[in-house]
Amino acid sequence: MENIEGSTGEKNIVNISEMKAEKEIKKQDKNVNFDFFQVWKISDSNTEIFDLDDWAQRLPSVLDKRNIRYSGDTIRCDSYGVHSPEKNPLSILHFARLRDHNVPAVATLNTPELSDVKLEANEYIAEDVSALFDSTNGVLMLQKNIFSLSVYSLVTYVNYFWNLNKDEKDMEQIEIRPILRKDAFKLGLNAKKINKLKVKTGNIVRGTNINNKFESGLGKVFDVLTKYNGVSIEVTISTTRSKDSVLDKEAVHDSLKEIQAAQGDFKKATIVSGDTGVSVPIELIKSRITTSKIFSIPVKAFLNPDKVQEYMLQEYSPSYKNFKKQVESNLEKIPK
């Protein structure tokens, strides 16, 4: 222990060993992605934006009543709340997937043996995701975690509780649709330092002569490869690992313009841009609105959902960075 005099003259007791231990905590950076969706309700007579707040407020108040089984695991909505209800209200939901099978083992660095994770009868391996919902436009911002709830499992969960105890004739289908970029090709055509071009065609119907639609280099590639009578063609054109090695910008842009005019013939088209000094992939076909954040997490600790939710609010809310503006510019029109 050591006494340190503060600016006001009083003595502050400081535990030097605790300060040293805190500095020595090892942390690992983790990149977390967030996808954006719009939530819709489909009935026999109507298609409209769905209010997920209405759904959340109807959930059972007892937590274990919210549990349902899905693909052998238990999934549930743990919590729901509204942030800043007076101005720019946004809802935060937290979901978890509880596993009691396919559980990882415990090992040490100096022995070959594995041991079971010690879990009590009512304990599970939990994988979680956080979600932000904006009731003004039906937008859902969803943390991506491949070990937790997928979009499909979330849709299943929402539909289960929305239609619970309803007659079949009164049931409604809830859909969570990805929000796609409207300016994806504009981003691609503005790229100057391009390190890679990758395209994959849709199923090729013999006699459609896909190669005839292209005057750029891709046309010659397709002309050669269609002779194999394959179902689809996938082409990757890339440079060396050197930062100074780039593809011919004009040639790539010519191909992008042709792909844009014939999007229905392609399943995938991607370029990798090095304009910012790092390699950034730009999806051109059905490109989704996404953001990402790097979190620094103590080793052997889970990512605190409070930190995730804090980022989501600050990133999306008009009161902070206002990513909402960009999202709304890409929304499909709501049918009247």
Side-chain angles (χ1 to χ4, degrees):
M1 304 285 284
E2 181 176 333
N3 292 336
I4 298 178
E5 186 171 321
S7 58
T8 58
E10 71 273 13
K11 300 290 185 178
N12 297 322
I13 305 298
V14 178
N15 191 319
I16 299 299
S17 61
E18 289 180 359
M19 291 176 61
K20 185 177 180 181
E22 184 174 345
K23 289 182 180 179
E24 292 177 351
I25 293 176
K26 292 183 179 180
K27 294 188 176 182
Q28 180 87 24
D29 285 345
K30 180 176 182 179
N31 186 60
V32 179
N33 295 315
F34 300 83
D35 293 326
F36 291 83
F37 304 86
Q38 198 170 31
V39 190
W40 291 80
K41 179 175 67 175
I42 294 90
S43 62
D44 291 338
S45 59
N46 197 20
T47 297
E48 60 185 345
I49 294 297
F50 179 66
D51 188 352
L52 202 60
D53 287 330
D54 189 13
W55 171 85
Q57 291 163 8
R58 298 187 187 190
L59 286 173
S61 57
V62 179
L63 188 59
D64 63 6
K65 297 294 184 182
R66 300 182 186 180
N67 298 336
I68 71 169
R69 296 292 289 179
Y70 178 83
S71 294
D73 296 326
T74 297
I75 59 176
R76 72 172 179 221
C77 178
D78 287 327
S79 61
Y80 160 79
V82 179
H83 174 82
S84 185
E86 297 82 15
K87 183 181 179 181
N88 299 320
L90 295 168
S91 302
I92 293 292
L93 303 98
H94 185 258
F95 298 89
R97 183 172 196 145
L98 310 180
R99 296 198 339 248
D100 57 5
H101 67 288
N102 294 328
V103 175
V106 177
T108 65
L109 293 176
N110 53 7
T111 59
E113 292 80 17
L114 302 178
S115 59
D116 289 326
V117 177
K118 303 299 183 184
L119 295 172
E120 299 295 334
N122 64 340
E123 291 180 330
Y124 299 82
I125 299 295
E127 298 284 358
D128 75 307
V129 291
S130 293
L132 176 151
F133 179 70
D134 185 348
S135 60
T136 66
N137 52 23
V139 167
L140 181 73
M141 179 182 183
L142 184 64
Q143 175 190 357
K144 196 168 186 178
N145 180 354
I146 60 173
F147 301 106
S148 187
L149 274 74
S150 64
V151 175
Y152 185 80
S153 61
L154 179 57
V155 168
T156 301
Y157 186 84
V158 171
N159 274 287
Y160 174 82
F161 281 106
W162 184 249
N163 291 307
L164 189 64
N165 299 323
K166 287 184 180 179
D167 293 336
E168 187 173 351
K169 62 181 178 60
D170 297 324
M171 290 185 178
E172 298 167 312
Q173 182 67 29
I174 309 304
E175 293 184 358
I176 298 179
R177 302 175 182 175
I179 300 173
L180 305 180
R181 299 194 72 103
K182 294 180 179 179
D183 63 347
F185 277 95
K186 182 179 179 181
L187 288 175
L189 291 168
N190 284 336
K192 296 177 175 61
K193 297 179 180 179
I194 303 171
N195 308 117
K196 182 184 290 187
L197 168 64
K198 185 174 183 179
V199 298
K200 183 177 181 180
T201 67
N203 290 349
I204 298 172
V205 179
R206 195 173 301 179
T208 55
N209 295 321
I210 185 174
N211 52 302
N212 293 338
K213 300 179 181 181
F214 294 85
E215 295 181 0
S216 67
L218 280 180
K220 295 179 180 179
V221 173
F222 293 150
D223 186 40
V224 172
L225 296 180
T226 51
K227 295 176 182 178
Y228 287 88
N229 292 327
V231 175
S232 65
I233 296 172
E234 188 167 357
V235 178
T236 301
I237 307 169
S238 59
T239 63
T240 66
R241 293 180 178 272
S242 169
K243 290 184 178 180
D244 298 324
S245 180
V246 295
L247 298 178
D248 184 276
K249 181 183 71 173
E250 298 304 325
V252 174
H253 285 182
D254 287 344
S255 293
L256 295 189
K257 291 174 184 176
E258 293 175 337
I259 293 169
Q260 184 177 16
Q263 292 183 51
D265 292 324
F266 291 88
K267 286 184 177 178
K268 194 175 184 67
T270 309
I271 66 167
V272 176
S273 168
D275 288 349
T276 61
V278 295
S279 296
V280 178
I282 300 174
E283 297 287 346
L284 303 168
I285 306 291
K286 295 183 178 180
S287 176
R288 296 189 177 191
I289 301 291
T290 63
T291 64
S292 63
K293 166 72 174 176
I294 296 176
F295 294 90
S296 186
I297 310 169
V299 173
K300 299 183 180 179
F302 65 91
L303 174 56
N304 188 338
D306 291 341
K307 297 293 185 182
V308 175
Q309 294 163 14
E310 179 183 352
Y311 162 77
M312 297 172 80
L313 287 165
Q314 291 181 351
E315 182 73 7
Y316 182 86
S317 174
S319 301
Y320 301 99
K321 294 185 179 180
N322 197 19
F323 196 72
K324 173 179 180 174
K325 183 177 180 180
Q326 181 174 335
V327 173
E328 288 191 325
S329 67
N330 290 278
L331 292 179
E332 58 180 291
K333 292 183 179 179
I334 299 174
K336 295 181 180 179

